[in-house]
């Protein structure tokens, strides 16, 4: 058996050698000597490719940035808002531990101007330098609670799973548990002007695919949530988020749903409410300042926008990044072009000098 196999192998080997001689190739592999498969791009081709890529990135970034800047928005930075009565910085007021633990808010007022009529604009709050996409933070929530299946399930909410009831000294499961829920935004806004002291802020509505991820266990929330305790940073329990509107209370509360839908970016905006049509003029926003952002070097904004799109900041950041990358690539291509031209000229000079030397010899 072995001898037959070896004979067949030798026969095939001799046949291959004869075939190579007939084809004029006795050594090496044909593909390795093929010019077409060993083509190398010229320096000029590389520079042109980089320039085209740089222009494409720059134009794309410019389109994204212009699209963002053309949106009709009023952006109010109230991070350094001052107390209406004591003129103390609200950031310092909130940072005071006694005020924070007693859920004391800092009332402050900011004036702003609307340049053009805005039809049923949306109100957003924006927070910067807050990493909701941090893995440990992101996992600290209970889907069993959020869907109303088991309100006492806190297995995935480390480190905020239970807390002690100050009245009974009993250890109870936190509802909703976890870091995400505990850090929920809790500032409130009231918008008005000289004619109307307070404009009504309406709900914005949650789309069905998102709303289907949240549910209350029953209609009687106080009974269903008995035997649990609110998160440490919440001023009131979950069944009191909106007592005037049962459809917006508990786990179905809009602000809770929008907050629990975490952002992939450190700077993000989330929906707060919606105003009726507002005319151009001077307005004021009265703020109950309670959310501490200076602890993580962040800033807070209230935004009134004609668009409901919450990805505006994302597109603006991406647009700016693309513009910078495109500009850097263009500069690099210019430097590379200069180096190539200098090298060519240097080679030409060396060749001429070598030719003169040979002639003299």
């Amino acid at each position: 058996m072995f001898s037959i196999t070896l004979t067949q192998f030798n026969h095939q080997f001799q046949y291959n050698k004869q075939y190579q001689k007939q084809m004029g190739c006795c050594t090496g592999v044909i593909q390795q000597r093929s010019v077409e498969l060993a083509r190398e791009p010229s320096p000029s081709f590389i520079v042109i490719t980089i320039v085209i890529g740089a222009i494409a990135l720059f134009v794309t970034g410019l389109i994204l940035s212009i699209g963002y800047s053309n949106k009709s928005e009023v952006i109010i930075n109230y991070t350094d808002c001052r107390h209406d009565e004591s003129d103390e910085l609200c950031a310092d007021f909130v940072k005071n531990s006694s005020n924070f633990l007693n859920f004391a808010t800092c009332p402050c007022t900011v004036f702003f101007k609307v340049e053009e009529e805005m039809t049923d604009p949306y109100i957003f709050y924006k927070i910067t330098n807050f990493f909701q996409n941090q893995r440990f933070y992101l996992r600290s929530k209970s889907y069993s609670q959020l869907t109303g299946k088991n309100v006492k399930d806190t297995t995935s909410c480390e480190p905020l799973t239970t807390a002690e009831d100050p009245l009974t000294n009993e250890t109870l499961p936190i509802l909703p548990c976890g870091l995400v829920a505990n850090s929920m935004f809790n500032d409130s806004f009231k918008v008005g002007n000289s004619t109307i002291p307070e404009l009504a802020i309406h709900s914005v509505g949650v789309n069905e695919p998102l709303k289907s991820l949240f549910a209350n266990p029953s209609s009687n929330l106080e009974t269903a949530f008995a035997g649990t305790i609110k998160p440490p940073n919440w001023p009131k329990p979950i069944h009191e988020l909106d007592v005037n509107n049962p459809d917006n209370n508990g786990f179905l509360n809009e602000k809770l749903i929008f907050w629990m839908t975490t952002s992939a970016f450190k700077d993000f905006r989330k929906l707060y409410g919606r105003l009726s049509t507002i005319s151009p003029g001077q307005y004021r926003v009265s703020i109950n300042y309670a959310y501490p952002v200076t602890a993580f070097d962040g800033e807070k904004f209230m935004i009134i926008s004609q668009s409901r799109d919450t990805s505006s900041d994302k597109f603006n950041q991406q647009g700016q990044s693309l513009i910078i990358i495109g500009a850097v690539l263009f500069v690099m291509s210019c430097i590379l072009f200069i180096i190539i031209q200098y090298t060519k000229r240097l080679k030409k000079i060396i060749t001429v000098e070598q030719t003169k030397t040979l002639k003299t010899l």
Side-chain angles (χ1 to χ4, degrees):
M1 185 71 151
F2 177 77
S3 60
I4 295 173
T5 306
L6 185 60
T7 304
Q8 290 177 345
F9 174 78
N10 288 333
H11 177 73
Q12 185 67 32
F13 180 74
Q14 294 297 329
Y15 174 79
N16 288 341
K17 289 186 68 178
Q18 291 176 3
Y19 177 77
Q20 288 180 356
K21 288 181 180 180
Q22 290 175 3
M23 296 300 294
C25 177
C26 299
T27 59
V29 181
I30 296 174
Q31 288 86 343
Q32 289 178 338
R33 301 194 307 172
S34 173
V35 177
E36 286 75 11
L37 296 178
R39 188 181 298 276
E40 295 182 359
S42 65
S44 301
F45 176 79
I46 294 173
V47 171
I48 292 172
T49 304
I50 294 175
V51 169
I52 292 173
I55 293 173
L57 290 173
F58 189 86
V59 171
T60 305
L62 206 60
I63 291 172
L64 290 174
S65 296
I66 291 174
Y68 168 80
S69 61
N70 285 341
K71 289 188 176 182
S72 179
E73 291 186 341
V74 177
I75 301 176
I76 304 159
N77 186 338
Y78 68 95
T79 309
D80 296 327
C81 188
R82 292 185 175 273
H83 198 291
D84 286 338
E85 297 177 0
S86 64
D87 201 40
E88 179 185 4
L89 275 174
C90 282
D92 295 335
F93 180 88
V94 171
K95 193 184 296 184
N96 186 304
S97 59
S98 61
N99 292 330
F100 184 76
L101 293 174
N102 293 323
F103 306 105
T105 60
C106 178
C108 67
T109 304
V110 178
F111 295 89
F112 64 95
K113 185 177 182 181
V114 176
E115 299 290 347
E116 57 185 21
E117 183 176 276
M118 304 179 76
T119 306
D120 299 332
Y122 295 91
I123 298 178
F124 297 86
Y125 60 87
K126 177 181 175 180
I127 302 176
T128 64
N129 206 37
F130 190 107
F131 292 85
Q132 274 198 314
N133 58 354
Q134 203 273 344
R135 186 177 63 176
F136 185 69
Y137 173 90
L138 193 62
R139 292 187 302 179
S140 184
K141 58 185 173 183
S142 172
Y143 291 102
S144 296
Q145 287 187 347
L146 297 176
T147 54
K149 295 178 180 178
N150 186 357
V151 297
K152 295 185 179 181
D153 179 16
T154 62
T155 53
S156 59
C157 291
E158 292 290 344
L160 290 176
T161 56
T162 59
E164 187 177 291
D165 189 334
L167 299 178
T168 63
N169 295 327
E170 184 182 359
T171 300
L172 301 174
I174 297 173
L175 181 71
C177 63
L179 295 173
V180 182
N182 187 57
S183 59
M184 180 178 167
F185 184 80
N186 56 358
D187 287 359
S188 61
F189 309 119
K190 292 181 181 179
V191 181
N193 57 19
S194 57
T195 307
I196 307 174
E198 183 178 348
L199 299 172
I201 298 178
H202 310 285
S203 61
V204 295
V206 183
N207 59 62
E208 285 304 320
L210 179 59
K211 194 171 184 178
S212 63
L213 302 176
F214 300 82
N216 286 323
S218 67
S219 57
N220 190 341
L221 298 184
E222 188 171 0
T223 303
F225 297 153
T228 62
I229 191 170
K230 66 178 181 62
N233 290 351
W234 283 32
K236 54 188 175 182
I238 188 170
H239 61 271
E240 295 179 6
L241 290 180
D242 191 349
V243 292
N244 297 322
N245 184 3
D247 295 330
N248 190 43
N249 203 9
F251 290 119
L252 297 179
N253 182 264
E254 286 184 352
K255 294 181 177 63
L256 175 65
I257 292 175
F258 291 138
W259 180 261
M260 298 301 292
T261 308
T262 52
S263 172
F265 297 88
K266 68 181 181 70
D267 302 340
F268 57 86
R269 62 171 68 184
K270 294 182 184 290
L271 280 162
Y272 180 85
R274 193 171 191 179
L275 292 168
S276 300
T277 301
I278 56 176
S279 305
Q282 293 288 341
Y283 290 83
R284 67 176 179 274
V285 54
S286 299
I287 304 166
N288 277 331
Y289 192 116
Y291 200 75
V293 293
T294 54
F296 51 86
D297 296 326
E299 291 184 311
K300 297 191 291 186
F301 300 82
M302 190 194 85
I303 301 172
I304 301 176
S305 175
Q306 198 67 70
S307 171
R308 179 173 173 151
D309 185 17
T310 58
S311 60
S312 299
D313 295 323
K314 177 181 71 174
F315 289 134
N316 186 40
Q317 292 171 4
Q318 291 178 344
Q320 292 175 355
S321 299
L322 290 177
I323 290 173
I324 293 171
I325 294 171
V328 170
L329 285 177
F330 184 79
V331 172
M332 288 176 62
S333 64
C334 292
I335 295 173
L336 187 59
F337 177 77
I338 294 171
I339 293 173
I340 291 171
Q341 294 302 316
Y342 177 77
T343 305
K344 284 182 178 179
R345 185 177 179 184
L346 191 61
K347 284 183 178 179
K348 188 175 181 180
I349 294 172
I350 292 172
T351 304
V352 171
E353 292 296 330
Q354 288 177 346
T355 305
K356 288 181 179 179
T357 304
L358 291 173
K359 284 182 179 180
T360 55
L361 294 174

